[in-house]
Amino acid sequence: MAHPHLWYPFTQAKLAPDPLKVKSAQGVWLELENGQRLLDCISSWWVNIHGHAHPKIAEAIYQQAKQLEQVIFAGFTHDPAEQIATKLIEKLPPKSNRVFFSDNGSTAIEVALKMAYQYWANQQQKRSTFIAFEGAYHGDTFGAMAVGARSIFTQPFDDLLFQVEFVDYPETYWEDDRIEEKEDKILFAIQQKLQQPERYAGILIEPLVQGAGGMRMCRSIFLQKLARLAKDAGTLLIFDEIMTGFGRTGEWFSCVKAGVEPDILCLSKGITGGFLPLSVTISSEEIYQGFYSDDLTKTFFHGHSYTANPLGCAAALASLELMQENEPKFRGMDALHRQFLEPLKTLPNVEKLRVTGTIAAFDVITDQPGYLNQMASKIRTQAIDRGMVLRPLGNVVYLMPPYCITEGELEWVYQNLAAILSDL
Ligand SMILES: *Cc1c(COP(=O)(O)O)cnc(C)c1O
């Protein structure tokens, strides 16, 4: 039952089915109040990379809570924040060098946009335009909405959003023989814009996979060419790795997988393994130096009450250790997805199959595509009946399970999926 005093996210309460009450969760399984068990195929909105209730992360939080649960992070510092910064920098390309904390993905994006904009302003340059991609989703705060694609999510606020220049996202899928043509067209459009480099504060992209926009996947080569354009024009390249970070693409980070060094990088979602809200915006040393000054007005005046919360940092450290231990799992899931997805090719209502690392997706053919079509809720309901959690994005069905899912469990998920698709 929906609670009389709660307002649920992304939910039209009048039309939505009652929310299911979850009593506990362990590994890939959620256990409902009525005793039903559901396999969490979407890692609870993409955050629980190690599954639920991992005892190592729980223990790390408990130990940290007894020692230092929270402290103001201006004028003070602490070990968990310093350790996580060191560990992240070790795993990232050399250019990524300064870690700025906030609490969620949207604020990590706000920080990135403000950093980029002020970086230029501190050099007496007014560069007020960002280039972003059609279909992008960067969060629900105003700045994050502005750089995201306009949609029914942003529609009530469109008047209030600053102007951004959008280009197409070079989405690709199996047996796509037009991808180079698509990429070239988009790169050309960006190059045209960058003829006037002094207008652009930066280019913002979800590298390798656009998440909420429909699990649309692009190629590393595109990101490499994009980085070259940004560099030649002297504008900033900003990677939103909020979803794709921490092993999701089969590599520690998608910038590593793509072989690209962004100027600014945003991470959140998987960072604490789904235990606590935390995010980071990581900049190059060059950007940091653009603020480092005797002049107080060049300060980056931004911060949150819970900036670098020690419990979140302790959870993040434990989660990184688990990633190290389970590296073969997230590196190996790409091959498993491909193996199990292949047979779905033969279904008449399935197209655009695609896999990047731990993420697999396809489109269901329908005469009413888009986020509001009824198919998503139908698939969701049938999945629940079969004991699994799916949450299609419109007509896009995707799997993004925790790394601890077994091969047998994954196979079972695909069998259920095939059955659901066959009698849609
Ligand atoms: C989820 C997401 C965000 C927003 O993060 P929140 O923590 O939900 O605010 C931004 N960008 C991408 C790519 C995301 O997947």
Side-chain angles (χ1 to χ4, degrees):
M1 280 293 286
H3 190 275
H5 299 300
L6 281 174
W7 192 332
Y8 295 90
F10 290 112
T11 302
Q12 175 45 268
K14 189 166 183 192
L15 304 175
D18 282 339
L20 306 171
K21 189 173 274 186
V22 182
K23 203 178 63 186
S24 63
Q26 194 79 58
V28 295
W29 295 98
L30 303 180
E31 188 163 337
L32 303 185
E33 196 177 44
N34 67 10
Q36 197 191 357
R37 269 160 42 99
L38 299 176
L39 197 153
D40 187 353
C41 301
I42 59 165
S43 302
S44 283
W45 255 342
W46 323 340
V47 299
N48 288 88
I49 57 177
H50 309 295
H52 295 269
H54 199 291
K56 274 203 175 170
I57 304 180
E59 178 66 19
I61 294 171
Y62 174 59
Q63 293 303 337
Q64 185 59 44
K66 288 193 295 183
Q67 198 173 332
L68 175 68
E69 83 300 342
Q70 163 69 0
V71 66
I72 177 173
F73 201 60
F76 293 87
T77 187
H78 51 77
D79 281 340
E82 294 181 359
Q83 286 164 4
I84 195 73
T86 306
K87 290 248 158 74
L88 287 174
I89 296 308
E90 266 170 30
K91 287 290 179 194
L92 286 165
K95 195 173 198 176
S96 299
N97 203 46
R98 293 280 173 176
V99 177
F100 190 98
F101 286 98
S102 57
D103 326 324
N104 61 71
S106 303
T107 56
I109 294 291
E110 300 291 336
V111 168
L113 299 174
K114 287 174 71 174
M115 259 180 199
Y117 187 88
Q118 194 184 340
Y119 170 72
W120 298 112
N122 281 357
Q123 304 172 54
Q124 276 66 56
Q125 293 190 44
K126 188 165 173 55
R127 296 189 177 213
S128 48
T129 309
F130 287 92
I131 296 174
F133 288 79
E134 294 293 352
Y137 175 77
H138 298 293
D140 294 333
T141 53
F142 273 96
M145 276 196 293
V147 286
R150 302 296 184 267
S151 69
I152 61 155
F153 295 91
T154 60
Q155 193 193 321
F157 314 104
D158 281 352
D159 286 353
L160 296 176
L161 303 180
F162 59 78
Q163 289 304 305
V164 168
E165 295 182 11
F166 292 96
V167 294
D168 285 338
Y169 192 83
E171 65 165 323
T172 190
Y173 31 82
W174 293 359
E175 290 155 24
D176 174 16
D177 50 18
R178 299 192 49 201
I179 183 58
E180 282 181 31
E181 198 182 316
K182 278 187 271 185
E183 288 173 350
D184 287 347
K185 221 172 126 188
I186 295 165
L187 290 164
F188 183 73
I190 296 169
Q191 196 174 18
Q192 292 300 103
K193 292 182 186 298
L194 293 177
Q195 301 279 323
Q196 295 174 280
E198 70 287 350
R199 294 187 56 221
Y200 297 100
I203 306 173
L204 172 63
I205 187 167
E206 291 160 87
L208 295 181
V209 189
Q210 267 190 341
M215 297 301 156
R216 303 201 302 162
M217 301 182 182
C218 78
R219 306 195 303 173
S220 294
I221 183 82
F222 174 79
L223 297 170
Q224 289 161 12
K225 290 180 178 172
L226 179 68
R228 165 63 52 193
L229 286 183
K231 189 162 188 236
D232 289 349
T235 194
L236 301 177
L237 181 63
I238 307 171
F239 270 13
D240 175 353
E241 284 214 43
I242 289 162
M243 182 195 77
T244 56
F246 299 103
R248 268 297 162 211
T249 63
E251 186 36 278
W252 278 75
F253 297 99
S254 50
C255 57
V256 177
K257 179 159 179 160
V260 172
E261 302 196 48
D263 299 285
I264 303 178
L265 175 70
C266 301
L267 300 170
S268 185
K269 294 228 159 86
I271 190 168
T272 64
F275 273 70
L276 287 164
L278 187 75
S279 61
V280 289
T281 305
I282 302 178
S283 84
S284 65
E285 187 62 20
E286 192 179 337
I287 291 176
Y288 183 77
Q289 289 300 329
F291 292 77
Y292 192 82
S293 168
D294 293 319
D295 181 354
L296 263 181
T297 65
K298 292 194 172 167
T299 308
F300 189 51
F301 287 115
H302 188 104
H304 299 278
S305 317
Y306 283 94
T307 293
N309 171 254
L311 300 180
C313 293
L317 280 167
S319 178
L320 278 185
E321 273 175 34
L322 289 173
M323 277 191 64
Q324 199 79 53
E325 284 170 30
N326 298 324
E327 203 168 331
K329 291 288 290 188
F330 65 79
R331 286 192 189 278
M333 205 184 289
D334 192 289
L336 290 178
H337 272 317
R338 280 171 201 278
Q339 179 192 334
F340 297 136
L341 192 58
E342 181 78 24
L344 299 194
K345 265 190 356 194
T346 56
L347 294 174
N349 55 351
V350 167
E351 66 174 356
K352 297 187 177 173
L353 298 96
R354 50 202 189 264
V355 173
T356 300
T358 70
I359 308 168
F362 55 84
D363 291 13
V364 180
I365 299 168
T366 161
D367 46 18
Q368 41 160 183
Y371 193 84
L372 292 180
N373 84 58
Q374 292 307 301
M375 184 192 299
S377 59
K378 206 165 150 186
I379 293 175
R380 200 150 91 189
T381 311
Q382 294 198 13
I384 298 281
D385 291 343
R386 290 173 174 271
M388 47 193 234
V389 181
L390 292 180
R391 196 180 159 91
L393 298 155
N395 65 319
V396 176
V397 176
Y398 70 92
L399 298 174
M400 202 190 294
Y403 307 154
C404 60
I405 192 170
T406 64
E407 188 173 336
E409 285 165 341
L410 194 60
E411 189 172 13
W412 175 81
V413 165
Y414 274 98
Q415 282 162 359
N416 279 324
L417 199 50
I420 293 169
L421 291 163
S422 301
D423 49 52
L424 263 186

